[in-house]
Amino acid sequence: MKIARFSHEGAIAFGIVDDDELVVLEKDPMFAGYGTTGERIAINTVKLLSPVIPRSKVVVMGSDFFASAAAEAEAEAESIPREPTFVIKPNTSVVGPGDAIVLPAQSTDVRVAGSLAIIIGTFAKNVAVDDVESVIFGYTVATDVLAQDLAIADGNAARATAFDSFCPLGPVIETEFDVDQVVVHGRINDAQFQNGDTELQVHSIAEIVAFASSVFTLLPGDVILTGSPGLSGALGAPVTAGDTVQVEIPGIGVLANPVRRAA
């Protein structure tokens, strides 16, 4: 089931996607279930918003993919332990479909990468791998934006990943998504910069969520970006003002955002 958060005639609401219409829900389904108002609205008459605004944080997993099947086999043969790494984006970094990625004045090298995003649906702390499914509300598409030159200058990505608009999410939340084989396509102005799947992912979705919950409490609406497979460049693709970034995950949809300079 696909859930959209949208603006229509000055009001913000949630709806279930039904072909080219939205079945309007009474309240946020994450907290209040799927009761409907009886109203249907054509999708082409609404403004789609970020399908969720995290209550506290966006967790961005670091590089979580083997470079090749051979590298995966070597790591397994040598039993190399590898814990996930992550950075945190503030919830103010989140924007929705069609919203601009704003290039900060402090940076001259902003890069983008597509990722599957996990939406947490309940309070989660020290969750066992086998129990992770019970704390996930659904999945959406994310564009992970990073000021690469600032990350190098600072020696970490804390500032570089945290600017407003550096985490577009959308277009919808899919509550029944199959995570066994996720495909991510990335395009800038229709030129492909990313095309990959999760076959070489180091940690499973369940392992990622369990690990994150062992570090801090995950709150309903928190988001976890699971990494970026299939990048043509290891650090993501550079963008400039006037570009349009599209990230597509079949089964969820296409997230498109223009790029502009800060005013």
Side-chain angles (χ1 to χ4, degrees), residues 52-236:
V52 64
I53 297 296
R55 290 181 66 171
S56 66
K57 54 192 171 292
V58 177
V59 183
V60 183
M61 306 311 296
S63 178
D64 198 46
F65 294 88
F66 291 109
S68 65
E72 180 181 23
E74 180 181 355
E76 290 178 351
E78 297 180 8
S79 299
I80 299 173
R82 186 170 174 180
E83 283 197 320
T85 60
F86 64 88
V87 295
I88 300 291
K89 290 180 185 280
N91 57 7
T92 50
S93 67
V94 171
V95 293
D99 295 334
I101 297 169
V102 180
L103 303 177
Q106 300 96 316
S107 174
T108 59
D109 185 10
V110 173
R111 303 193 179 207
V112 297
S115 177
L116 176 70
I118 305 165
I119 311 299
I120 299 299
T122 188
F123 290 92
K125 178 62 178 174
N126 292 324
V127 181
V129 169
D130 290 343
D131 296 332
V132 161
E133 187 174 343
S134 68
V135 305
I136 295 176
F137 180 72
Y139 301 86
T140 193
V141 182
T143 301
D144 182 15
V145 188
L146 174 76
Q148 177 63 22
D149 51 349
L150 299 185
I152 293 171
D154 294 348
N156 62 73
R159 173 172 64 138
T161 195
F163 287 94
D164 291 356
S165 81
F166 269 28
C167 188
L169 297 175
V172 296
I173 295 173
E174 174 56 74
T175 62
E176 301 170 352
F177 186 65
D178 182 0
V179 299
D180 287 340
Q181 187 71 3
V182 180
V183 177
V184 182
H185 304 292
R187 298 179 291 273
I188 298 174
N189 305 330
D190 296 324
Q192 185 170 277
F193 71 87
Q194 181 177 0
N195 182 30
D197 58 42
T198 54
E199 183 178 356
L200 295 177
Q201 190 160 17
V202 179
H203 301 94
S204 68
I205 296 297
E207 289 170 338
I208 288 170
V209 175
F211 173 80
S213 77
S214 75
V215 180
F216 35 60
T217 300
L218 298 169
L219 303 183
D222 280 355
V223 176
I224 302 176
L225 274 55
T226 59
S228 301
L231 287 172
S232 56
L235 300 176

Side-chain angles (χ1 to χ4, degrees), residues 19-54:
D19 293 328
D20 58 355
E21 292 185 321
L22 291 167
V23 178
V24 181
L25 298 172
E26 293 176 340
K27 297 179 180 179
D28 184 342
M30 185 180 296
F31 304 101
Y34 297 98
T36 66
T37 65
E39 183 182 9
R40 285 176 171 264
I41 301 175
I43 291 179
N44 63 6
T45 66
V46 309
K47 160 66 174 168
L48 290 178
L49 308 174
S50 170
V52 64
I53 297 296

